Amino acid sequence: MNKYLDINPEVQSALDNGKPVVALESTIISHGMPYPQNVETALAVEKIIRENGAVPATIAIIGGRLKAGLTAEEIDYLGKTGPAVAKASRRDIAVLVSKGMDGATTVTTTMMIAAMAGIKVFATGGIGGVHRGAEKTMDISADLEELANTPVVVVCAGAKAILDLKLTLEYLETHGVPVIGYGTKELPAFYSRHSGLEVDYRMDTPEEIAEAFMTQQAMGLKGGMLVTNPIPEEYSMDEKVINKAIDDALKEMDEKGIHGKECTPFLLAKVKELTGGDSLDSNIQLVFNNARLAAKVASSCCK
Ligand code: PSU
Ligand code: MN
């Protein structure tokens, strides 16, 4: 047992009894959405996971403890505190724990803590990736490296076009991460179903995904798997509107000289501002959609 890790009793009991568990991240709560929609969404996502037969485990660092499974009060605290909570990537985790601090976990640290707890499936909105202009800035999200090394299936809605999606796929290929399209051969682009880029494999059932992941595990291959689940048609956004907002946000980021870990939160907030309430609504719906699929994949892994 990891002495830095607290597993919520309900999550522990599910794991002990071979029942499905789905991990959820907390940067999406603190840095990804405004209060109070962030807390409402986080609680609604947990409910959807339960309705689909799995136990939710929202992950964060609270008072220096790695938490797999938060209380509603802890979720509310992270949502209210917002970006004042440290955004915790792999490089932050030891310092936050040693100092007894709080941290909102990104895809990277959520995967790390999920793996420590024995959780195999994780649902989120979008992952980090290779940023546009990375050939100069070298801004490549640690999420990609974690996918290469940590055995967790991550269900997302693709990646936002704030990233260079083509380079993101190249990076994943180099590092041996299988990229699956759920019901599609085209990589979804978060707010919209289309990127014009191909994923490695199309799969049409949660069972197929679970089977592929268990085979990867059984062969002793390290690393995770990325499942990209397109936003439901009725919530997808007009590509012209969203791409214009992204271009404007990138331009402003450049002018303001924003860099490092601030990039993604800045771009997310700016795109949201430029598109009004629409993008937030889409964002919430795609997370719900990913939670449903992740719960089914987790259930299949337990059969
Ligand atoms: N992309 C989104 N929404 C998010 C994030 C990314 O569409 O909330 C968050 C996730 O927590 C992801 C992190 O792991 O941003 C990536 O940050 P960076 O690019 O600094 O690695
Ligand atoms: Mn970065």
Side-chain angles (χ1 to χ4, degrees):
M1 187 60 201
N2 184 324
K3 71 174 195 178
Y4 302 103
L5 175 66
D6 293 333
I7 303 181
N8 164 294
E10 188 195 2
V11 172
Q12 185 65 65
S13 151
L15 292 168
D16 290 344
N17 293 295
K19 297 265 164 59
V21 177
V22 174
L24 299 161
E25 65 155 303
S26 46
T27 293
I28 193 174
I29 304 174
S30 59
H31 294 67
M33 290 183 192
Y35 182 79
Q37 288 95 335
N38 55 1
V39 172
E40 287 162 14
T41 303
L43 296 174
V45 169
E46 290 208 340
K47 188 158 172 272
I48 288 171
I49 304 259
R50 287 182 197 286
E51 286 165 358
N52 286 276
V55 173
T58 302
I59 288 179
I61 304 168
I62 309 259
R65 302 292 302 168
L66 310 179
K67 297 274 184 192
L70 298 185
T71 62
E73 291 69 34
E74 287 167 330
I75 288 176
D76 191 64
Y77 163 71
L78 290 174
K80 269 199 186 120
T81 314
V85 179
K87 174 179 158 187
S89 192
R90 180 175 266 274
R91 59 115 183 255
D92 304 293
I93 201 163
V95 173
L96 292 175
V97 167
S98 70
K99 289 187 176 293
M101 291 171 69
D102 299 329
T105 53
T106 62
V107 168
T108 298
T109 37
T110 303
M111 288 181 76
M112 290 171 70
I113 296 170
M116 288 175 196
I119 302 169
K120 305 249 168 269
V121 181
F122 162 21
T124 185
I127 59 159
V130 180
H131 280 259
R132 297 200 206 168
E135 64 276 14
K136 284 217 187 78
T137 62
M138 289 184 70
D139 190 351
I140 300 172
S141 176
D143 293 354
L144 301 182
E145 203 61 34
E146 208 59 45
L147 279 161
N149 289 298
T150 302
V152 173
V153 178
V154 179
V155 180
C156 69
K160 283 199 181 81
I162 59 172
L163 303 173
D164 188 322
L165 299 180
K166 198 158 182 232
L167 291 189
T168 300
L169 287 180
E170 291 293 350
Y171 194 98
L172 289 167
E173 186 226 359
T174 302
H175 293 271
V177 179
V179 180
I180 312 298
Y182 189 64
T184 178
K185 191 81 208 294
E186 186 180 3
L187 177 74
F190 198 85
Y191 292 121
S192 90
R193 296 169 63 89
H194 306 291
S195 66
L197 298 168
E198 278 211 348
V199 295
D200 306 326
Y201 298 98
R202 169 180 173 156
M203 291 190 185
D204 295 309
T205 63
E207 290 74 26
E208 260 180 289
I209 297 168
E211 187 65 39
F213 183 63
M214 303 221 304
T215 304
Q216 180 169 306
Q217 297 267 96
M219 284 194 291
L221 299 177
K222 65 170 193 164
M225 189 170 274
L226 186 65
V227 177
T228 63
N229 186 26
I231 184 170
E233 192 82 60
E234 64 267 40
Y235 299 111
S236 73
M237 290 184 68
D238 183 338
E239 277 152 68
K240 277 209 197 76
V241 172
I242 191 68
N243 289 334
K244 167 85 170 66
I246 287 168
D247 287 342
D248 291 352
L250 284 164
K251 200 163 150 259
E252 188 170 334
M253 185 176 85
D254 238 23
E255 285 162 6
K256 291 194 161 147
I258 289 164
H259 59 93
K261 71 192 283 188
E262 309 304 334
C263 288
T264 300
F266 175 83
L267 291 169
L268 298 180
K270 203 71 214 170
V271 168
K272 199 155 45 202
E273 183 189 312
L274 294 171
T275 55
D278 286 7
S279 71
L280 183 57
D281 197 37
S282 297
N283 200 342
I284 291 170
Q285 291 298 331
L286 66 84
V287 177
F288 290 170
N289 193 45
N290 296 339
R292 281 186 287 268
L293 177 57
K296 290 176 191 160
V297 173
S299 299
S300 295
C301 285
C302 289
K303 274 177 197 144

